[in-house]
């Protein structure tokens, strides 16, 4: 090869490299223009550990003094989380007395104390959890500037032996506070989870899922719920799920769609490949107001049981998201805040002109 040709190839390669670098989206690059966020995630689990440690190291210690020294800063959270009677939550003396008895008894359990110690090693106290959730919250406040963020904390407790996903307290939302159950972010292979939590659900139990769990909870609270007493057609449930998923995607734009949908990579590929066929399957059911279509096509399962074992679950949610995406492409003037407030699902379907 002549030196001239080699030089031309080098120049072309250089231009291609520069082009690719410029076109590669850097994670969280959109945050550069957003104001910083003063964020703290307190550690209620560390207070429990300190309380339990004091009980063990100082047998003669007055348990009420130990409570005052270690747990008092999060007494309101523990009272709400442990569902203490309302009368006790409005009476500080009664509240603290009940909490002292309840937590003192629980923390004498060596298994719970060992779990708190293990959680401490997985999530060291000196490493702030705020870094895990700051990015989506900054985007949230940019999209909803009038929104007031709750306080954030983290807790840990034991595992009920016969628990299933409905009893997982991975995220607890209480008035004015959201708490992360760190014992359910120990990684998908953590051996102590209850056997009722299936393998496809375990994908959600790693620390990297903390922002996803948070954003899902925020979206669930922001998107108007369909009253459980109202018999709504499948279409309404699909589009509400689609709006919720669109908000999640805007708060976590650098997360893969498979993660945001709780799909495996192969399930996402399946859903994309059979998008048209699946929508044709759903079309005759869109105005069915019975519980069966919602259960079959929106319930959280390993796959869509009415289809093959290779299918993606919740294809109704996937189709609803695609409808919402189509609607937003045709109506770019509609902001995320306006979209979240929309409940005219017939309008969204009609204006989306969704035909995969």
């Amino acid at each position: 090869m002549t030196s001239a040709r080699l030089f031309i190839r080098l120049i072309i390669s250089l231009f291609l490299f520069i082009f690719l670098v410029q076109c590669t989206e850097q994670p969280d690059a959109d945050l550069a223009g957003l104001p910083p966020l003063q964020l703290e995630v307190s550690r209620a689990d560390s207070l429990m550990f300190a309380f339990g440690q004091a009980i063990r190291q100082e047998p003669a210690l007055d348990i009420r003094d130990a409570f005052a020294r270690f747990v008092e800063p999060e007494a309101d959270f523990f009272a709400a989380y442990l569902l203490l009677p309302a009368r006790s939550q409005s009476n500080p003396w009664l509240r603290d007395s009940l909490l002292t008895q309840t937590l003192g008894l629980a923390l004498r359990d060596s298994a719970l104390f060992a779990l708190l110690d293990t959680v401490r090693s997985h999530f060291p106290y000196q490493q702030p959890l705020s870094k895990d959730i700051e990015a989506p919250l900054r985007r949230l406040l940019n999209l909803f500037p009038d929104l007031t963020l709750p306080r954030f904390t983290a807790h840990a407790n034991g595992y009920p032996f016969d628990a299933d996903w409905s009893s997982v307290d991975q995220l607890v939302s209480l008035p004015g506070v959201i708490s992360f159950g760190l014992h359910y972010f120990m990684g998908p292979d953590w051996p102590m989870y209850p056997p009722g939590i299936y393998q496809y659900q375990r994908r959600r139990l790693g620390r990297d899922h903390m922002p996803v769990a948070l954003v899902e909870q925020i979206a669930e609270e922001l998107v108007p719920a369909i009253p459980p007493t109202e018999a709504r057609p499948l279409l309404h449930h699909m589009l509400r799920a689609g709006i919720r998923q669109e908000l999640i995607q805007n708060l976590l734009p650098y997360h893969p769609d498979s993660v945001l949908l709780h799909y495996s990579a192969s399930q996402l590929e399946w859903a994309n490949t059979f998008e048209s066929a699946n929508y044709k399957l759903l079309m005759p059911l869109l105005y069915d107001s019975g519980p069966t279509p919602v259960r079959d096509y929106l319930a959280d399962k390993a796959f869509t049981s009415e289809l093959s074992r290779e299918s993606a679950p919740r294809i109704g949610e996937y189709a609803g998201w695609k409808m919402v995406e189509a609607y937003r492409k045709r109506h770019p003037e509609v902001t995320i805040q306006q979209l979240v407030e929309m409940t005219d699902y017939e309008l969204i379907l009609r204006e989306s002109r969704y035909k995969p």
Side-chain angles (χ1 to χ4, degrees), residues 21-40:
V21 168
Q22 290 178 339
C23 291
T24 300
E25 208 168 18
Q26 296 298 315
D28 298 336
D30 61 310
L31 299 177
L34 301 184
L37 181 63
Q38 299 298 320
L39 183 65
E40 180 183 0

Side-chain angles (χ1 to χ4, degrees), residues 46-104:
S46 73
L47 301 181
M48 287 183 66
F49 179 80
F51 188 16
Q53 192 173 46
I55 293 172
R56 283 164 169 73
Q57 293 179 348
E58 304 176 53
L61 178 68
D62 188 314
I63 194 170
R64 291 169 297 182
D65 292 341
F67 175 88
R69 284 167 54 187
F70 301 113
V71 184
E72 177 62 32
E74 289 287 355
D76 288 340
F77 163 72
F78 284 120
Y81 175 63
L82 296 173
L83 301 177
L84 294 188
R87 62 184 179 87
S88 69
Q89 296 188 42
S90 60
N91 182 329
W93 181 88
L94 181 57
R95 178 203 66 187
D96 291 356
S97 178
L98 288 173
L99 283 177
T100 301
Q101 296 175 34
T102 304
L103 293 176

Side-chain angles (χ1 to χ4, degrees), residues 20 32 61-62 73 75 108 110 125 168 199 216 257 264 268 293 331:
L20 289 172
L61 178 68
D62 188 314
R108 285 189 171 91
S110 58
Y125 299 152
V168 169
Q199 193 61 40
E216 287 179 334
D257 289 351
S264 66
L268 180 62
H331 295 278

Side-chain angles (χ1 to χ4, degrees), residues 190-342:
W190 173 244
M192 302 305 294
Y193 297 132
I197 299 177
Y198 299 113
Q199 193 61 40
Y200 76 94
Q201 294 166 330
R202 285 172 171 257
R203 293 200 298 263
R204 312 171 198 179
L205 299 181
R207 179 168 182 163
D208 57 350
H209 193 76
M210 287 182 66
V212 181
L214 174 62
V215 165
E216 287 179 334
Q217 182 63 40
I218 290 171
E220 185 62 29
E221 294 180 4
L222 286 179
V223 179
I226 296 177
T229 56
E230 295 185 11
R232 296 284 195 91
L234 175 63
L235 173 67
H236 290 200
H237 292 276
M238 288 171 53
L239 284 172
R240 183 194 179 268
I243 292 172
R244 178 177 172 275
Q245 198 64 34
E246 181 72 2
L247 174 57
I248 291 171
Q249 197 277 336
N250 274 264
L251 297 179
L252 294 171
Y254 301 102
H255 279 60
D257 289 351
S258 58
V259 172
L260 301 183
L261 285 163
H262 302 309
Y263 287 177
S264 66
S266 61
Q267 286 176 331
L268 180 62
E269 183 180 0
W270 182 94
N272 291 335
T273 301
F274 296 104
E275 179 181 355
S276 178
N278 289 332
Y279 185 56
K280 290 177 182 177
L281 172 68
L282 291 168
M283 283 180 65
L285 304 171
L286 292 181
Y287 293 96
D288 189 329
S289 299
T292 302
V294 174
R295 182 194 63 214
D296 291 346
Y297 299 107
L298 285 169
D300 187 25
K301 295 180 287 189
F303 55 91
T304 300
S305 53
E306 288 67 32
L307 301 171
S308 69
R309 297 184 66 88
E310 291 73 33
S311 65
R314 292 170 282 103
I315 62 169
E317 179 179 12
Y318 175 90
W321 187 17
K322 292 300 177 181
M323 291 178 192
V324 172
E325 284 186 329
Y327 173 80
R328 293 203 73 208
K329 286 179 181 178
R330 295 187 61 81
H331 295 278
E333 76 281 1
V334 176
T335 66
I336 286 291
Q337 188 168 8
Q338 291 169 332
L339 177 71
V340 164
E341 294 170 355
M342 291 183 69

Side-chain angles (χ1 to χ4, degrees), residues 121-166:
S121 66
H122 275 68
F123 300 90
Y125 299 152
Q126 65 272 22
Q127 295 179 7
L129 297 175
S130 56
K131 293 182 179 179
D132 296 73
I133 60 172
E134 180 182 359
L137 291 176
R138 289 174 67 186
R139 296 187 187 99
L140 177 69
L141 292 179
N142 182 54
L143 294 172
F144 298 85
D146 296 329
L147 198 66
T148 300
L149 291 180
R151 188 172 67 86
F152 296 97
T153 188
H155 66 277
N157 57 32
Y159 302 109
F161 176 75
D162 57 349
D164 58 18
W165 189 258
S166 65

